[in-house]
Amino acid sequence: MLSEERQSLILERLRTKRAVTVQELVQDLDSSAATIRRDLTELHQKGLLQKVHGGAVSCDVDYFTTEPDMSTKANLFTDKKTAIAQAAAALIEEYDFVFIDAGTTTEMMLPFVNAKNVTFVTNGTSHAAALAARYRRVILLGGQVKAVTGAIIGDTALQQLDVFNFTKGFFGTNGVSIKGGFSTPDPAEAAIKTKAIHKCHRAYVLCDSSKFDKISSVTFAPLESATIITTKVKGAYHNYTEIKEVEP
């Protein structure tokens, strides 16, 4: 396959998925990892995509309405996500009652949680399994399972959240902006985030730097409703909420 054809296919995948991994492109395009990385570098230099650790993301900087699947997201920005996850996990203390939102970065927190006497409530199916495997007390919300993210959504989960009062909550987001607050593509998933974040004494949003200046379909909370844990902040976000920056 010629490089022009290969690069055209890479851009086409980004138009539909917004994010791709090197391994995914190796399999789909039957090319070596070195070749794919070289293509991504060339496209990055042309300003046609943003090359990141493990793959590439779209250059769209404002509005978007879709999201990559969990396997794709899990392989992007892994070094940054690990640093963010470690910092977030260190905030969990003995006897906390914690909400853990579905998502790849929040799931990465779980192996780093050292406190033992903690009760977790989550709408992430894989999160609940990981916590139970570590013999942690965990409550999994009931309802419909969203296939793309493994998140529990729907009226049953929303009704369950009514009775809880969390000491801390940790949330993922697809977009962060001064104009749009914290946002995500799916209204049903946004509803869970909105209800849960209002039930938290302290709320934290975990996001890498690629999420800033992005607006997705549904705002689930304003910036001032949560502390942001991230690796690097651009712009005036410090004027709108508390930000905890960590080193990858």
Side-chain angles (χ1 to χ4, degrees), residues 1 18 33 44 62 66-67 83 95 111 117 122-123 126 150 171 179 182 185 189 191-193 198 225:
M1 184 184 298
R18 290 193 61 254
H44 176 85
D62 277 323
T66 60
E67 63 182 316
Y95 305 106
N117 297 303
T122 184
N123 68 324
S126 58
F171 298 82
K179 179 180 179 180
F182 302 113
E189 198 161 357
I192 298 292
K193 293 174 185 283
H198 284 149
S225 63

Side-chain angles (χ1 to χ4, degrees), residues 13-201:
R13 278 160 175 75
L14 275 177
R15 276 190 286 273
T16 58
K17 295 188 63 177
R18 290 193 61 254
V20 291
T21 64
V22 170
Q23 189 56 43
E24 174 187 351
L25 294 172
V26 165
Q27 295 174 350
D28 289 352
L29 303 181
D30 193 25
S31 301
S32 68
T35 297
I36 295 298
R37 291 191 183 96
R38 187 163 56 248
D39 285 337
L40 295 181
T41 298
E42 290 181 12
L43 291 168
H44 176 85
Q45 291 171 345
K46 293 176 182 177
L48 298 175
L49 55 74
Q50 181 184 353
K51 188 179 179 183
V52 299
H53 181 77
V57 296
S58 170
C59 280
D60 294 340
V61 295
D62 277 323
Y63 295 88
F64 61 93
T65 60
T66 60
E67 63 182 316
D69 58 36
M70 288 287 282
S71 60
T72 299
K73 291 194 289 186
N75 289 300
L76 295 173
F77 306 104
T78 52
D79 54 342
K80 295 180 181 179
K81 287 181 179 179
T82 299
I84 293 166
Q86 286 181 297
L91 296 171
I92 298 177
E93 302 171 299
E94 298 293 330
Y95 305 106
D96 267 338
F97 186 49
V98 177
F99 181 79
I100 303 286
D101 185 27
T104 55
T105 309
T106 51
E107 187 171 8
M108 290 179 72
M109 289 175 56
L110 307 182
F112 300 115
V113 176
N114 293 320
K116 303 293 184 184
N117 297 303
V118 179
T119 299
F120 296 90
V121 177
T122 184
N123 68 324
T125 52
S126 58
H127 299 49
L131 287 163
R134 298 188 68 207
Y135 301 99
R136 295 300 203 274
R137 291 191 298 275
V138 57
I139 299 168
L140 176 63
L141 298 181
Q144 177 187 346
V145 180
K146 180 182 174 184
V148 174
T149 61
I152 301 292
I153 56 175
D155 290 341
T156 300
L158 287 169
Q159 290 169 7
Q160 285 180 290
L161 285 170
D162 281 331
V163 304
F164 295 130
N165 297 294
F166 305 110
T167 57
K168 298 182 178 91
F170 299 88
F171 298 82
T173 188
N174 296 78
V176 182
S177 79
I178 292 170
K179 179 180 179 180
F182 302 113
S183 58
T184 194
D186 186 347
E189 198 161 357
I192 298 292
K193 293 174 185 283
T194 298
K195 176 65 72 69
I197 210 166
H198 284 149
K199 302 293 287 185
C200 295
H201 178 64

